[in-house]
Amino acid sequence: MSDDGHYKPEEAATIFPDGKLARPLVVGTVPRGGRTVTDTIYAVTAPTTAPAASFPFPLDRAGLERGKQQYEIFCAVCHGATGDGNGMIVRRGFPHPPSYYLDRLRKAPPGHFYDVITHGQGAMYSYGDRIVPEDRWRIVGYIRALQLGDPKNDGLATTPPEQRK
Ligand code: HEC
């Protein structure tokens, strides 16, 4: 009785290659608000698609401030205000994320961060339903600003060995 055989929302499903029951939106879908998902700002990338190498629109000061505000609401609880991965939820036992200052993440293209926000990764769940695409890019811009602001930090001191790769 506790497992009646039908799939529940967001359940894992082995029948799809990405292991998720929830299917990505079909290109051309018009979400609420009237945007189409074909342009790069809103792109719903599959794990097999190469991440975007650049930002789809320029980020000015107001954009970065919005990114900071959204980062502090949605990300800092785990990733920490500076991106070192020592957020409050992590200090209370949640799996430790890698520091944004690792060489690998400094070199990662902006689209990688956008894709992780959109789809989640490992223990981190997806924010695709909570953060609108433009704000995801603004958060990525703010993460880039954090990385540039501390050029000597290699991130190793705050990243557990299993998250350094
Ligand atoms: C509830 C805690 C939590 C929150 C909130 C969270 N993350 Fe994460 N994040 C993680 C954990 C844990 C990992 C490591 C996941 C893994 O590889 O298992 C991670 C990994 C990442 C990575 C590294 C991916 C890589 O290549 O290794 C990025 C980038 C990232 N998160 C960005 C964000 C952004 C941006 C936000 C806010 C929109 C956010 N995260 C919110 C826990 C969180």
Side-chain angles (χ1 to χ4, degrees):
M1 284 303 280
S2 65
D3 188 359
D4 60 10
H6 79 272
Y7 282 117
K8 298 179 183 67
E10 305 293 338
E11 204 173 317
T14 51
I15 54 172
F16 296 115
D18 64 1
K20 295 179 185 175
L21 178 67
R23 306 315 306 144
L25 297 179
V26 174
V27 169
T29 302
V30 181
R32 269 184 296 178
R35 306 172 305 219
T36 58
V37 297
T38 40
D39 92 50
T40 46
I41 297 184
Y42 310 118
V44 181
T45 50
T48 49
T49 323
S54 58
F55 288 83
F57 56 90
L59 281 169
D60 57 9
R61 189 183 178 97
L64 283 176
E65 276 169 6
R66 171 81 186 167
K68 175 178 193 284
Q69 181 222 35
Q70 294 288 294
Y71 177 83
E72 284 169 357
I73 293 170
F74 291 105
C75 320
V77 286
C78 290
H79 287 272
T82 62
D84 61 4
N86 283 331
M88 187 50 78
I89 296 185
V90 172
R91 281 185 260 159
R92 301 275 162 95
F94 195 80
H96 202 296
S99 164
Y100 292 145
Y101 301 93
L102 290 183
D103 197 44
R104 176 176 72 79
L105 288 172
R106 285 183 184 274
K107 289 189 181 135
H112 174 63
F113 296 84
Y114 181 86
D115 289 348
V116 173
I117 301 173
T118 308
H119 301 290
Q121 179 178 301
M124 180 184 146
Y125 37 76
S126 148
Y127 283 83
D129 62 345
R130 275 162 282 192
I131 304 174
V132 294
E134 293 90 337
D135 282 344
R136 288 178 222 161
W137 286 112
R138 292 181 184 118
I139 290 172
V140 178
Y142 182 63
I143 293 173
R144 276 277 118 97
L146 287 174
Q147 291 171 324
L148 289 171
D150 196 357
K152 294 208 174 70
N153 186 347
D154 65 8
L156 293 173
T158 60
T159 305
E162 68 278 10
Q163 283 289 358
R164 287 182 192 165
K165 318 167 258 42

